[in-house]
Amino acid sequence: MLTRETKIELPKGFLLGAASSAHQVEGRNTNSDWWEYEQMGRLPKSGLAADHYHRFAEDFQLACDIGLNAMRISLEWSRIEPEEGKWSIAEIEHYKKVLRKLKELNLTRMVTLHHFTLPKWLADGGGFETKRGVQAFARFAWFVAQNLGSEIDLWITLNEPELYSILAYQRGVFPPFRRKILTPFRVMRNLIQAHKAAFRAIKSVLPHSKISIAKNCVWFEPYRDRNFYDRGITWLANRMGNHYFLEKIRKQTDFIGLNYYFYRSIKFDARNGYRVMNSEALPKSDMGWQTYPQGIYYLLRQYKKYQKPIYITENGIANAADDMRSDFIKQHLHWVRKAVDFGIDVRGYFYWSLTDTYEWEAGFGPKFGLVEVDFETQARRVRDSTKVFKEIIFS
Ligand code: FCB
């Protein structure tokens, strides 16, 4: 039984970090597609966000004070390449400072190249719906490798590429708000190519770099364990949702990055494929997302077959009252530890997020941060739940 007093032991060298993405914290990313739709009133305005662009040093210091030894950040492509083929030296210098600050604080640097936003010029030209997106992304990856590569320890090319394709091209909740049946598949295919092309581009500059994606994964279970149809639909959901993309890039990935938030108990349904039957008894975050820590363990067991090191690149909870967060983290780390004991090469865990963020279409409502941000004054306050990191022992 896991109690309040239980200490979590993690292997020596394990990365314990927090994750963030540029658009969600930096503020004023005025050259991106998101910013444009925000000004048009189709999305909540991000404005200054957490003003991390100016306050990164303070934020990283807080990460250290909390007891973390790693950070996952993203580079804002629309800052670095505001016009097609025109690179901003000033922004490269900015990110150099950001990455050097992390190094100075002994925080291992995991860097994402695409975390949902696109430069406006590329979005106007069709984004990842077209091959132009693939080429542009490879060129961007090459440019970053040339100019910032020596400051990056672990690379993530794409964040949640499948979820991005679906939210932007099928459900129509992310720019460019399309509701199409086949387009998401085309975008996914292009994203597979984009990853491969970026992988080659980075390796051509830095042959020893370590590269992956941050894969969105969901733990699916059959609602009725012995029911043939429930088992069948679970198998299919798992294959398509958790493995399809990774299998395609298996040879072009040095490790596996996993984002884990969701659990689904599913029942076969002839009309819709399946129905979600999650028990109402599971705890819920402020966003209504149910928590199911052991799901991370079952997923890790599945990903063992790739025989690559694994990092949990995101896992977190929106919890303004801060009464669930420390238990949430502890429970997930407990199951991660169990996976390590099972012989799985898990090397790190990044909590989402370091500070409160602009949570995409949900605006500033959800509070995921280890650090609370008052968005009026930009004042920071470390949440009490973060004490949990001080209780961790590295064996
Ligand atoms: C993930 C996203 C991240 C954040 C969390 C809550 O899907 O990668 O940017 O919004 O969800």
Side-chain angles (χ1 to χ4, degrees), residues 24 115-116 159-160 261 314 352 359-360 368:
Q24 292 179 269
H115 199 124
F116 297 161
N159 181 66
E160 302 189 340
Y261 294 94
E314 278 182 41
W352 180 271
E359 270 305 317
W360 308 115
F368 278 91

Side-chain angles (χ1 to χ4, degrees), residues 9 32 36 85 113 126 132 154 167 175 220 225 316 335 342 361 373 377:
E9 261 189 70
S32 73
E36 195 186 23
L113 296 179
R132 186 177 167 201
L154 294 159
L167 295 179
F220 296 102
D225 197 32
W335 286 102
F342 189 74
E361 79 284 16
V373 177
T377 62

